[in-house]
Amino acid sequence: MTDNYRGSGDADSTQQHPTQGFQGPAYPPPPSYGPAYSATPAPGPAVAPAGPYPHGAHASGRAARRAKAPVALLAAVALAAAVVGGGSAALIGAYTGNGNGVGSGGTAVHGTTVSQSSAGTVAGVAQSVSPAIVEINAASNSGEATGSGVIITSDGEIVTNNHVVAGASSVKVQLSTGKTYTANVVGTDPDKDLALIKLEGASGLKTASLGDSGQVKVGDEVVAIGSPEGLTGTVTSGIISALNRDVTVAKDQDQGQQQGGGNGGGNWPFEFGGRQFNGDTGSSKTTYKALQTDASLNPGNSGGALINMNGQIIGINSAMYAPSSSSSTGGSSAGSVGLGFAIPINTVKADLSSLRSGGAG
């Protein structure tokens, strides 16, 4: 018996079985698509009884898979929407956790969007800090002096310069709102030119945030707020010009007052680099390390705030150079020339407990 074969790609080909003598149609070529299912289970543990599937089992399995596909698609779309809507917070939760899309605490961390604002600008600093800066009017036997102060507690504790309130028989404080309080001197430290006063009957006041003067660098932008020449809430700006300047000032209030009266309370004398400015500091004086700034300071800024661009107090303004006026009509000074000095706020913070207990003077 002879076996005859035709080409495997010919649909009309026949073959003669070598043992049974049966001639029939050749096997058709494989379909261009795979079978809907395989009769042979995939390797792995058995999950169904052995033997043939019940009638219609494969069809229902396919239908189930088709039914699940839209659900999976919807879940993917929902996840994509969550990522778009939640921003990077969803990604943070997915990639900083334990591989399961959650953080170490078991839940994803969702951030909030920070809107654009005036933070970091002179306008933003002024708006934020001005309510915590006050004008101080101190009366004494030598006359009246005007200075500034910084509110540090909501019930009215205020830091200022010693030379603003030294020898004062009465102290009046005006807030940025225009409201006026009577204040008492709690403690003074003439060696650091610092004083602490307390308003009578105050509560719920806006307070300043005290920064870290140890982090200040030359060139940092700063804002000064005070009441120069009685102009309440005046805002100026500049930079830190130098650090750790040895500034010498008079301890006695009378020495400062003899330079002139009026709204500014005179140009407070100080010494720097072996030279005297704004008059003679006298024999009773003290030296401290100061921040130097070119922010405009004038008489009345003493005791006010020097502020960084985060709105934190980094110094208490205490001295400035005011050259004599050449005008024949003459005022007591020709105004600021960009040489101002401030007591570092870290010095203030270290001295607060002493001031609250009466201070050194």
Side-chain angles (χ1 to χ4, degrees):
M1 181 178 295
T2 302
D3 294 333
N4 295 322
Y5 295 93
R6 302 180 69 179
S8 62
D10 189 342
D12 295 330
S13 63
T14 62
Q15 67 178 4
Q16 185 176 6
H17 199 279
T19 57
Q20 299 178 1
F22 176 78
Q23 188 176 30
Y27 292 104
S32 59
Y33 52 88
Y37 64 91
S38 173
T40 303
V47 293
Y53 290 97
H55 178 70
H58 296 296
S60 61
R62 289 195 299 273
R65 283 194 291 273
R66 285 198 300 269
K68 290 179 180 178
V71 176
L73 178 59
L74 289 175
V77 171
L79 176 61
V83 172
V84 173
S88 60
L91 296 178
I92 293 172
Y95 290 102
T96 61
N98 301 318
N100 58 357
V102 298
S104 59
T107 57
V109 178
H110 299 284
T112 57
T113 301
V114 179
S115 61
Q116 292 291 333
S117 69
S118 57
T121 66
V122 174
V125 172
Q127 182 180 16
S128 174
V129 183
S130 288
I133 311 302
V134 301
E135 179 182 303
I136 299 174
N137 292 281
S140 69
N141 294 333
S142 300
E144 292 186 357
T146 298
S148 305
V150 179
I151 302 173
I152 61 171
T153 64
S154 61
D155 60 350
E157 281 189 343
I158 296 172
V159 172
T160 187
N161 288 140
N162 174 67
H163 73 255
V164 171
V165 297
S169 56
S170 69
V171 178
K172 298 292 184 181
V173 173
Q174 180 177 312
L175 306 186
S176 62
T177 60
K179 187 173 182 178
T180 301
Y181 288 88
T182 297
N184 299 308
V185 177
V186 176
T188 62
D189 189 342
D191 289 337
K192 295 182 177 67
D193 195 18
L194 291 173
L196 183 70
I197 64 176
K198 177 74 179 296
L199 304 184
E200 294 181 357
S203 63
L205 302 183
K206 168 74 174 181
T207 62
S209 173
L210 305 185
D212 182 0
S213 53
Q215 300 298 315
V216 174
K217 298 179 179 62
V218 173
D220 284 352
E221 293 181 275
V222 290
V223 174
I225 305 178
S227 299
E229 304 293 351
L231 300 174
T232 305
T234 296
V235 177
T236 58
S237 65
I239 63 168
I240 294 294
S241 304
L243 306 174
N244 299 317
R245 293 297 201 195
D246 287 324
V247 174
T248 300
V249 298
K251 288 184 180 181
D252 296 336
Q253 186 253 12
D254 287 345
Q255 185 62 44
Q257 289 300 320
Q258 74 180 19
Q259 300 302 316
N263 288 336
N267 300 317
W268 191 252
F270 71 96
E271 296 177 10
F272 173 74
R275 299 174 58 195
Q276 292 184 338
F277 300 91
N278 306 339
D280 185 1
T281 56
S283 59
S284 180
K285 51 193 175 185
T286 185
T287 301
Y288 56 82
K289 299 288 186 181
L291 303 173
Q292 182 181 333
T293 180
D294 70 347
S296 178
L297 302 179
N298 289 285
N301 272 114
S302 289
L306 190 66
I307 312 156
N308 65 20
M309 301 311 288
N310 293 322
Q312 299 171 324
I313 313 300
I314 57 169
I316 300 297
N317 299 320
S318 58
M320 60 90 190
Y321 173 47
S324 298
S325 174
S326 60
S327 170
S328 59
T329 58
S332 62
S333 72
S336 173
V337 294
L339 289 174
F341 302 92
I343 301 167
I345 201 62
N346 287 1
T347 300
V348 178
K349 290 190 289 187
D351 205 33
L352 269 179
S353 60
S354 175
L355 292 171
R356 284 170 172 151
S357 63

